[in-house]
């Protein structure tokens, strides 16, 4: 090898939106001099251009979610990132300083991405889709990885399968509908009146307006339910059991949304499991290829500056985001 590797000047401090304790959305505070995260062992140091908000961020900020595992305060939340590599784990790594990457942090095992820099494990870093800019790309990782895991890996989406996906217009849901349709399944999804056209445009074969219809009364039985709501709204989880074929599989995604889902499903003669997203760059690479082919698209509801993360959380907590809310960091 005769390449010369130049070590860039590494940042010592950075701008970040931090929390000093859990609480309402106004707990966020801008810190212009937060210590930049040191890159160690198999990590990349990444200059974050855009982040995105996810329900796990707002649940954690509010004192639920994974807040019990936050090791210290002040802390930085945020899982999604799209940005530029500042330093690679080792000189010969194919992803080099200056390359454009995206992925998902593993918060709170490390600091999050509501910040100018993040240190991210090598196995969680993918090349950014060339067809997306950073603000679009930041809307993909956590939501699309969750959708892929629930729909493809656990749900086994395939031709001939009837699959019901709740909350198809949300961050996870809009990818879930597209993945299931791409796999050849017959996709039925739920959304409010204003999202009917949007959902059909994602490839759903049947769209149920949950504000005017009871899905379990109007659809033919399904093989699989991807439950992104649980029983936090209108007993969506329990009612889903009435919409399934005997022995069907229910995948409950939001933790704590339906504490008795396993027992309830078993009593109804159904199979059930939860699902937890993992920041796996190999899976994200497969999703990237589908995005760059034009097969799968991300919908960005709006982009806010990082300093307005509190407003982004308030909007997300209304529960009616279409696609993703992104934070422009730099
Ligand atoms: N286990 C994991 O690893 C994991 C990973 C990611 C997410 N999650 C969880 O999964 C859930 C969904 O996440 P997300 O990011 O997709 O959330 P999100 O983007 O906030 O979802 C918003 C969507 O939910 C729809 N919605 C609200 N009430 C509904 C109802 N009663 N029936 C059907 N649709 C409804 C809204 O559509 P309308 O505006 O049309 O109402 C909106 O488009 C969250 O609870 C999140 O914490 C878990």
């Amino acid at each position: 090898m005769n390449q010369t590797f130049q070590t860039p000047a590494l940042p010592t401090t950075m701008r970040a939106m931090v929390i000093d304790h859990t609480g309402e959305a106004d707990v966020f505070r801008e810190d212009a001099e937060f210590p930049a995260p040191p890159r160690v062992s198999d990590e990349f140091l990444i200059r974050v251009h855009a982040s995105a908000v996810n329900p796990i961020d707002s649940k954690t900020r509010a004192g639920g979610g994974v807040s019990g595992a936050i090791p210290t305060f002040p802390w930085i939340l945020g899982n999604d990132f799209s940005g530029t590599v500042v330093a690679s784990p080792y000189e010969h790594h194919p992803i080099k300083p200056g390359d454009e990457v995206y992925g998902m942090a593993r918060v709170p095992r490390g600091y999050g991405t509501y910040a100018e820099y993040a240190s991210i494990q090598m196995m969680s870093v993918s090349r950014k889709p060339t067809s997306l800019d950073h603000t679009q790309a930041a809307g993909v990782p956590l939501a699309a990885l969750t959708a892929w895991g629930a729909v493809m890996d656990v749900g086994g989406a395939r031709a001939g399968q009837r699959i019901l996906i709740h909350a198809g217009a949300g961050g996870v849901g809009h990818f879930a509908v597209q993945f299931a349709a791409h796999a050849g399944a017959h996709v039925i999804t739920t959304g409010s009146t204003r999202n009917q056209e949007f959902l059909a445009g994602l490839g759903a074969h049947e769209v149920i307006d949950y504000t005017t219809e009871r899905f379990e009364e109007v659809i033919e039985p399904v093989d699989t339910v991807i439950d992104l709501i649980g029983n936090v709204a209108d007993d969506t989880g329990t009612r889903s059991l009435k919409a399934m074929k005997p022995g069907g599989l229910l995948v409950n995604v939001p933790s704590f949304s339906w504490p008795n889902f396993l027992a309830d499903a078993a009593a109804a003669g159904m199979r059930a499991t939860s699902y937890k997203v993992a920041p796996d760059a190999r899976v994200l690479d497969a999703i990237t290829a589908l995005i760059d082919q034009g097969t799968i698209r991300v919908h960005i509801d709006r982009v806010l500056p990082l300093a307005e993360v509190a407003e982004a959380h308030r909007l997300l907590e209304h529960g009616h985001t279409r696609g993703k809310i992104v934070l422009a960091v730099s």
Side-chain angles (χ1 to χ4, degrees), residues 91-264:
E91 291 74 9
H92 200 55
H93 195 286
I95 300 181
K96 307 229 178 279
D99 287 358
E100 297 191 313
V101 293
Y102 78 145
M104 184 190 146
R106 213 161 156 260
V107 178
R109 295 306 184 203
Y111 284 123
T113 60
Y114 295 169
E116 281 181 309
Y117 293 94
S119 284
I120 307 288
Q121 253 191 340
M122 187 165 73
M123 293 181 79
S124 301
V125 175
S126 292
R127 291 189 187 279
K128 179 179 78 61
T130 53
S131 57
L132 302 183
D133 63 25
H134 286 291
T135 50
Q136 295 168 320
V140 174
L142 189 147
L145 285 166
T146 306
W148 186 278
V151 169
M152 306 300 289
D153 293 342
V154 180
R158 62 197 174 276
Q161 180 190 34
R162 292 175 56 79
I163 188 165
L164 169 61
I165 299 171
H166 290 303
V172 177
H174 86 299
F175 287 116
V177 168
Q178 293 179 79
F179 291 149
H182 178 62
H186 180 87
V187 182
I188 305 160
T189 190
T190 55
S192 65
T193 311
R194 77 180 185 103
N195 278 322
Q196 301 296 291
E197 222 171 288
F198 174 71
L199 290 165
L202 295 174
H205 303 93
E206 297 176 51
V207 183
I208 309 299
D209 183 344
Y210 71 83
T211 68
T212 59
E213 294 174 296
R214 308 280 286 179
F215 60 84
E216 72 277 24
E217 292 172 1
V218 296
I219 66 171
E220 292 298 314
V222 298
D223 301 287
T224 308
V225 174
I226 306 298
D227 176 17
L228 299 174
I229 299 283
N231 276 351
V232 296
D234 214 10
D235 286 336
T236 300
T238 306
R239 286 166 48 217
S240 294
L241 298 172
K242 298 180 187 159
M244 298 168 68
K245 295 179 188 172
L249 176 66
L250 181 136
V251 186
N252 174 260
V253 179
S255 307
F256 312 114
S257 62
W258 179 10
N260 296 329
F261 79 96
L262 287 174
D264 291 354

Side-chain angles (χ1 to χ4, degrees), residues 21 58 63 135 139 182 206 232 258 266-267 275 278 292 302 322:
H21 52 83
S58 48
T135 50
H182 178 62
E206 297 176 51
V232 296
W258 179 10
Y275 175 72
D292 279 339
R302 70 182 77 192
R322 179 186 284 171

